Amino acid sequence: MAASKTARGKVGRPSLERAGEVEERILDAAKTVFLTQGFEGASVDEIAQTARAGKPTIYARFPSKAALFAAVICRQAANNTQYENLVPQGRSFRARLVNLAMTLIERAFVGETIGLMRTAIAENPRFPELTLEIQDSARERATRNVSHVIGELARAEGLYGKGAFAADRLEETTKIFIDLVVFSMLFRALLGEDMRALKKEAQAYVEGRVDFFLSAAT
């Protein structure tokens, strides 16, 4: 990493805040290049130019293009699954679950997310362990965070600790909920169906899946 001068004129390490800014800039640039060029077409030279950073600076943080790609995907997954402060709205348990499900779909439908997922899927034959790690990490984070939200909704409804909402079953219940309300629509988006049509269909789709979920879980 290139050294920086302090206010006294001495050479020292960049601050942690500055180092974080550099890393974010690299990841932003890498995301842009991977989305436009794909993994195979992307080069670290182009990423460095886009990030206004030297290749040694990039390799000091990410030892390979594959590691950089994994970091981009994992950051996108982390951003999409930050539900800690989410409070679904609605007058009933059903309405709040519908609101939650629509939020999950809206985040999954972000163009950058779809594009990066397509790139990751395309690279699976060459990097099966990498794509599996990304998938497991994203699913684990989503399950953990959505489970907290569903647990709070169940608690407000007086259902927490009972049946499908028991503490030792809540994680599996959450996985089922996510599978029901997200993955069919996400799969269709990945296959290239018109996003505007899918978004128009989403509300009715979600309501039907939530009704099915509630009939089984309550």
Side-chain angles (χ1 to χ4, degrees), residues 106-118:
E106 287 167 6
R107 293 193 184 185
F109 276 10
V110 172
E112 293 176 345
T113 299
I114 296 296
L116 288 171
M117 289 183 68
R118 285 173 176 159

Side-chain angles (χ1 to χ4, degrees), residues 114-126:
I114 296 296
L116 288 171
M117 289 183 68
R118 285 173 176 159
T119 302
I121 291 168
E123 294 306 316
N124 179 261
R126 292 202 305 155

Side-chain angles (χ1 to χ4, degrees), residues 70-93:
V72 169
I73 295 289
C74 288
R75 185 184 67 160
Q76 188 74 17
N79 290 338
N80 286 356
T81 55
Q82 289 179 350
Y83 304 115
E84 290 88 345
N85 298 318
L86 176 63
V87 181
Q89 301 301 304
R91 294 185 176 181
S92 66
F93 188 41

Side-chain angles (χ1 to χ4, degrees), residues 146-176:
V146 176
S147 177
H148 175 75
V149 176
I150 290 178
E152 290 303 306
L153 293 179
R155 193 184 304 277
E157 194 70 13
L159 294 173
Y160 186 79
K162 302 175 183 178
F165 302 101
D168 61 344
R169 298 182 62 186
L170 189 57
E171 182 175 314
E172 187 62 29
T173 298
T174 300
K175 288 180 181 178
I176 292 171

Side-chain angles (χ1 to χ4, degrees), residues 109-144:
F109 276 10
V110 172
E112 293 176 345
T113 299
I114 296 296
L116 288 171
M117 289 183 68
R118 285 173 176 159
T119 302
I121 291 168
E123 294 306 316
N124 179 261
R126 292 202 305 155
F127 303 108
E129 292 183 358
L130 171 62
T131 51
L132 183 61
E133 178 183 346
I134 291 169
Q135 173 186 317
D136 289 347
S137 175
R139 184 168 175 79
E140 179 182 349
R141 184 183 179 90
T143 299
R144 181 175 64 249

